Amino acid sequence: MELDGRTLVIAVSLITILQVAVIFIYYHLNRGNDGVRWWLWGSSVFSLGFLSLLLRDVPSMYEISLMASNTLIVIGMMGHYVAISRFLGKREVLWVVVAV
C-alpha cells in the first residue's frame, strides 16, 4: 500500500483548518490569554502553508509553491513556539525565533 502525497496534504490541511476553527472559537471565549492568540495565528499560517502545497501539481507554480509552503510552515511553527512560551507564562527566547 502506497500513501498518496496529495491525499495526505489534503487530510493534514483539513485537520489544521478544523484546528484553526476550534482555536478561533476558544479565542473569542477567552481573550485574556496571550498564548491563545499566538496559537491561533501560528495555526492559521501553518494551515496556509499546507494548503499551498496543493499548488505543486501546477507546473508554473511548483517552485513558488515550495518556497511559500516551507516558509509558511516554519513561520507557523515559530508562532506555536511563541504561543507555548506565553501560555506557560514565560518569555520566548528571541534568538531562537530569529535563528529559525
Side-chain angles (χ1 to χ4, degrees):
M1 180 172 123
E2 288 185 35
L3 284 176
D4 181 35
R6 185 174 178 83
T7 304
L8 192 59
V9 167
I10 291 171
V12 171
S13 297
L14 289 175
I15 290 169
T16 58
I17 290 169
L18 182 62
Q19 176 185 357
V20 168
V22 170
I23 295 173
F24 182 77
I25 292 168
Y26 181 74
Y27 174 69
H28 281 289
L29 295 175
N30 184 14
R31 290 182 186 253
N33 194 338
D34 192 34
V36 176
R37 180 177 23 160
W38 278 93
W39 203 297
L40 176 63
W41 181 82
S43 293
S44 299
V45 174
F46 187 78
S47 180
L48 286 174
F50 266 98
L51 282 173
S52 66
L53 281 173
L54 293 173
L55 295 174
R56 286 186 332 164
D57 295 337
V58 179
S60 62
M61 297 292 291
Y62 180 77
E63 292 173 357
I64 294 171
S65 168
L66 286 180
M67 289 184 353
S69 63
N70 289 334
T71 304
L72 289 171
I73 289 171
V74 169
I75 290 173
M77 286 289 108
M78 289 188 317
H80 285 165
Y81 167 72
V82 173
I84 291 170
S85 296
R86 298 221 175 152
F87 186 77
L88 295 174
K90 299 178 181 178
R91 297 297 300 172
E92 60 277 355
V93 182
L94 186 60
W95 70 267
V96 172
V97 176
V98 171
V100 171

